[in-house]
Amino acid sequence: QVQVAESGGGLVQPGGSLRLSCAASGSTLSINFMAWYRQAPGKQRELVATLASGGNTNYGDSVKGRFTISRDGPKNTMYLQMNSLKPEDTAVYYCYVRIGVGYYWGQGTQVTVSS
């Protein structure tokens, strides 16, 4: 079984930074894809960034140039460095991990950008 847990959310002022972490534990030998999604109140879940096992990354248009996705392979931990945060970045951020043909979601961590 695989467990996925996010951490690092919180309240930050516009223009500030936060780093989210996603730790995967359990049967994680074959992680082949990891991603961050977010969902704001009343909106659909939105793709934020993806990281494939080969190192390729992709970002949603709204976060390009401000957010950076990375991974610490030996620790099976993924990060999302978020800079120049805006109020519209306020959402619950979810970690998504694909292992073989299975996929797993974390419970989410709240990010609030407000003065």
Side-chain angles (χ1 to χ4, degrees), residues 37-98:
Y37 286 78
R38 67 185 182 186
Q39 188 165 20
K43 294 188 177 181
Q44 291 187 331
R45 193 167 291 192
E46 172 190 20
L47 178 67
V48 176
T50 67
L51 175 59
S53 59
N56 289 336
T57 60
N58 280 293
Y59 297 90
D61 288 341
S62 62
V63 306
K64 283 180 181 177
R66 300 189 297 123
F67 290 12
T68 303
I69 190 171
S70 61
R71 177 183 173 186
D72 183 339
K75 295 183 179 179
N76 286 325
T77 301
M78 176 176 64
Y79 304 99
L80 184 69
Q81 178 66 43
M82 306 185 294
N83 298 328
S84 302
L85 282 161
K86 305 174 182 179
E88 50 264 44
D89 294 318
T90 295
V92 178
Y93 284 71
Y94 296 92
C95 175
Y96 170 93
V97 176
R98 193 167 70 212

Side-chain angles (χ1 to χ4, degrees), residues 1 11-12 14 16 19 21-23 32 36-37 42 46 57 63 74 84 94 100 112 115:
Q1 190 57 274
L11 173 64
V12 63
R19 190 177 81 155
S21 298
C22 169
N32 51 41
W36 287 98
Y37 286 78
E46 172 190 20
T57 60
V63 306
S84 302
Y94 296 92
T112 302
S115 56

Side-chain angles (χ1 to χ4, degrees), residues 7-34:
S7 61
L11 173 64
V12 63
Q13 292 187 341
S17 298
L18 277 177
R19 190 177 81 155
L20 304 183
S21 298
C22 169
S25 59
S27 301
T28 59
L29 286 179
S30 300
I31 292 177
N32 51 41
F33 185 83
M34 303 180 81

